[in-house]
């Protein structure tokens, strides 16, 4: 079996994957068994605003001391070993059995898997039926408005399913002298943005299925600001081409070419492909996400991340608490994994939706340069001339960093003034 066929096989058809799956399952069971009981020092729900106001009001010291003594005595007299006394199913007692812990974790993980599966099904159907290519007609009309050569307008929808094919169309036309240098740069940046959107759509559905509103705002904010940057580039191109046309007293050269349309899959194959993708996603989540999620929870209950709140100013930890550090670190390994961990922490009440969004944005800012060096730059250098490749890649990278920093600042200010 050649390498391409082997890579297309689902993970459950590879013997070595079952070895790692078994190892991950055993690790998960061990983590559940040794998980500290209760919420632990670092897994407590953060006080609400009303509670904070009450705690900050000045109280007479003698009265406060007597009330504390009465509260302590009443609390000690009302103690009960019943697991249901606290009313929180996520906080088993110290004597909770392994089976009880396993049932609670299986319920949480099952709900997460269900939401991710539904979202992945929607995304797989949209991709297999080529619904995103509906934008092809709009993109072609938009390219005419921006005075782009027709080949650029044809390449833009092509970038939704193959950025290599789209960029190759531009480079070959530029080599034949049919499009200008500015059109090559503008088209390459537009293709990069559309390829990013297309790639993000594949993981957007399971991420939104895991965390909900923060995932929607994470992708929506980056899509919108990225579009504004591309719009600025195309407006610059339009102005340059119009000025050049006025100097020459003519119009720009138009290169006609047809692009082969991707035929949507039949519904039967669509559901088969969707089932395979969902199975692959859940298999990998069980392989990596679940052990990592349990390991992060164990670290937090052990107080490993307490150094963050001990050495970082309180103004920072109030906006970016220690729990968010684990989300940032795990996002380097995958957005779905970090979203799953964020959903688990939110279920415990230790972080909010806005803090999840902040952690995802910070993780994106940290991981973007590495993704650029590992994937975007080598791919561009293999297609474009060196100067154009560097211009497109670093131009897009700088714009994404600026957009991400802007979103981080807005989210941090929102947390500062609302929490």
């Amino acid at each position: 079996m050649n390498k391409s066929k082997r890579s297309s096989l689902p993970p459950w058809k590879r013997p070595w994957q079952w070895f790692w799956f078994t190892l991950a399952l055993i690790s998960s069971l061990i983590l559940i068994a040794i998980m500290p009981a209760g919420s632990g020092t670092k897994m407590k729900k953060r006080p609400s605003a009303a509670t904070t106001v009450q705690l900050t009001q000045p109280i007479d010291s003698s009265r406060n001391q007597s009330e504390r003594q009465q509260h302590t005595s009443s609390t000690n007299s009302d103690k009960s070993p019943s697991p249901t006394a606290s009313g929180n199913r996520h906080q088993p007692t110290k004597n909770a059995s392994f089976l009880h812990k396993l049932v609670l974790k299986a319920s949480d993980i099952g709900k997460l898997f269900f939401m991710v599966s539904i979202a992945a099904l929607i995304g797989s159907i949209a991709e297999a039926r080529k619904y995103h290519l509906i934008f092809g007609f709009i993109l072609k009309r938009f390219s005419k408005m921006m005075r782009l050569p027709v080949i650029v307008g044809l390449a833009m929808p092509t970038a939704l399913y193959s950025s290599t094919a789209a960029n190759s169309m531009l480079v070959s036309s530029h080599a034949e002298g049919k499009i200008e240098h500015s059109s090559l740069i503008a088209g390459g940046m537009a293709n990069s943005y559309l390829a990013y959107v297309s790639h993000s759509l594949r993981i957007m559905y399971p991420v939104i299925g895991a965390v909900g509103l923060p995932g929607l705002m994470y992708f929506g904010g980056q899509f919108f600001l990225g579009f504004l940057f591309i719009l600025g580039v195309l407006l610059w191109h339009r102005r340059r081409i119009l000025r050049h046309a006025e100097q020459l007293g003519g119009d720009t050269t138009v290169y006609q070419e047809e692009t082969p349309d991707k035929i949507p899959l039949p519904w039967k194959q669509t559901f088969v492909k969707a089932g395979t993708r969902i199975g692959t996603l859940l298999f990998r989540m069980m392989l990596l996400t679940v052990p990592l999620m349990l390991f992060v929870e164990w670290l937090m209950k052990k107080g490993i991340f307490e150094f963050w709140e001990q050495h970082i100013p309180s103004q920072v930890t109030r906006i970016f608490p220690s729990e968010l550090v684990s989300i940032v670190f795990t996002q380097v390994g995958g957005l779905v994994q970090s979203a799953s961990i964020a959903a688990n922490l939110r279920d415990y009440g230790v972080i909010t939706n806005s803090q999840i969004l902040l952690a995802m944005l910070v993780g994106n800012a940290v991981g973007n340069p590495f993704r650029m060096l590992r994937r975007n730059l080598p791919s561009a250098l293999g297609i474009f001339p060196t100067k154009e490749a560097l211009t497109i890649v670093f131009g897009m990278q700088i714009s994404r960093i600026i957009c991400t920093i802007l979103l981080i600042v807005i989210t941090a200010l929102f947390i500062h003034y609302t929490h």
Side-chain angles (χ1 to χ4, degrees):
M1 185 180 295
N2 56 40
K3 184 177 180 180
S4 61
K5 290 184 177 180
R6 191 184 306 114
S7 60
S8 63
L9 286 175
W12 57 82
K13 291 187 177 181
R14 306 178 197 175
W16 272 105
Q17 291 290 332
W18 280 107
F19 169 77
W20 294 115
F21 181 88
T22 304
L23 188 62
L25 182 60
I26 295 173
S27 302
S28 300
L29 294 175
I30 293 175
L31 285 170
I32 293 175
I34 66 174
M35 188 73 66
S39 59
T41 57
K42 298 306 294 176
M43 294 291 288
K44 294 180 180 178
K45 288 190 176 183
R46 298 190 180 276
S48 61
T51 306
T52 305
V53 171
Q54 292 176 1
L55 292 177
T56 55
Q57 291 177 350
I59 303 175
D60 182 72
S61 59
S62 60
R63 179 183 175 185
N64 187 24
Q65 184 177 2
S66 62
E67 287 180 354
R68 283 202 307 267
Q69 292 175 353
Q70 293 176 2
H71 176 72
T72 304
S73 60
S74 61
T75 302
N76 292 334
S77 62
D78 293 339
K79 277 186 177 181
S80 174
S82 174
T84 60
S86 62
N88 189 349
R89 65 183 182 87
H90 289 291
Q91 296 182 5
T93 61
K94 294 182 178 180
N95 297 326
S97 64
F98 168 74
L99 181 60
H100 181 65
K101 294 180 180 179
L102 182 61
V103 170
L104 292 180
K105 289 301 176 186
S107 176
D108 293 337
I109 294 171
K111 290 180 180 179
L112 177 64
F113 277 22
F114 175 76
M115 296 301 299
V116 169
S117 299
I118 295 297
L121 175 62
I122 297 173
S124 298
I125 292 176
E127 181 182 358
R129 299 295 298 175
K130 310 302 176 188
Y131 291 150
H132 60 288
L133 295 182
I134 296 175
F135 297 107
F137 176 76
I138 301 175
L139 290 172
K140 291 176 184 178
R141 298 295 298 270
F142 182 72
S143 65
K144 289 183 180 180
M145 186 187 305
M146 295 298 161
R147 295 297 191 273
L148 291 167
V150 174
I151 183 62
V152 179
L154 294 171
M156 287 167 67
T158 305
L160 290 171
Y161 62 87
S162 176
S163 60
T164 301
N167 292 329
S168 298
M169 294 166 62
L170 300 182
V171 171
S172 61
S173 298
H174 180 261
E176 296 172 2
K178 295 179 178 178
I179 63 174
E180 296 186 1
H181 178 76
S182 60
S183 299
L184 178 65
I185 297 295
M189 287 187 172
N191 289 343
S192 176
Y193 169 73
L194 292 171
Y196 163 73
V197 171
S198 179
H199 172 74
S200 299
L201 289 176
R202 301 174 186 175
I203 60 174
M204 180 182 72
Y205 297 98
V207 170
I208 294 177
V211 296
L213 182 61
L216 184 63
M217 297 182 67
Y218 171 81
F219 288 103
Q222 294 187 93
F223 289 168
F224 177 71
L225 293 180
F227 172 75
L228 291 182
F229 172 76
I230 294 299
L231 181 61
V233 171
L234 296 182
L235 287 174
W236 162 80
H237 173 270
R238 183 180 187 274
R239 182 181 178 184
R240 188 176 187 279
I241 292 300
L242 289 177
R243 183 181 300 175
H244 183 64
E246 290 177 358
Q247 293 174 354
L248 297 179
D251 199 357
T252 57
T253 303
V254 175
Y255 176 53
Q256 298 287 348
E257 181 174 320
E258 293 296 329
T259 300
D261 294 328
K262 294 285 283 185
I263 301 175
L265 292 178
W267 279 105
K268 182 178 180 180
Q269 295 183 23
T270 295
F271 284 110
V272 171
K273 182 178 180 180
T276 303
R277 174 165 293 184
I278 293 172
T280 301
L281 178 62
L282 296 183
F283 191 96
R284 290 175 177 172
M285 286 183 69
M286 195 65 203
L287 194 71
L288 179 62
T289 305
V290 173
L292 189 59
M293 184 173 63
L294 294 172
F295 182 64
V296 169
E297 181 182 344
W298 180 82
L299 288 177
M300 287 186 151
K301 288 186 176 182
K302 287 292 186 180
I304 300 299
F305 294 103
E306 287 185 354
F307 74 92
W308 181 263
E309 296 188 1
Q310 292 175 354
H311 298 89
I312 303 298
S314 59
Q315 294 85 352
V316 176
T317 58
R318 189 171 66 87
I319 298 174
F320 200 91
S322 59
E323 290 83 2
L324 301 188
V325 178
S326 60
I327 301 176
V328 174
F329 285 160
T330 53
Q331 190 164 330
V332 177
L335 193 56
V336 177
Q337 284 79 10
S338 64
S340 302
I341 292 175
N344 184 53
L345 295 176
R346 184 180 58 187
D347 289 342
Y348 279 97
V350 297
I351 58 175
T352 62
N353 282 335
S354 55
Q355 289 173 334
I356 291 176
L357 176 60
L358 179 61
M360 294 172 67
L361 290 170
V362 172
N364 181 63
V366 172
N368 252 337
F370 298 100
R371 285 190 292 270
M372 183 267 294
L373 294 174
R374 185 182 72 247
R375 184 175 57 202
N376 298 343
L377 185 59
S379 176
L381 289 173
I383 300 175
F384 293 97
T386 302
K387 182 179 179 181
E388 285 75 8
L390 294 176
T391 302
I392 293 171
V393 172
F394 284 101
M396 293 301 297
Q397 181 65 25
I398 292 173
S399 71
R400 287 170 184 168
I401 290 176
I402 294 175
C403 292
T404 304
I405 292 176
L406 179 61
L407 291 172
I408 289 174
V409 172
I410 294 174
T411 307
L413 289 175
F414 175 81
I415 296 173
H416 175 72
Y417 288 107
T418 58
H419 284 61

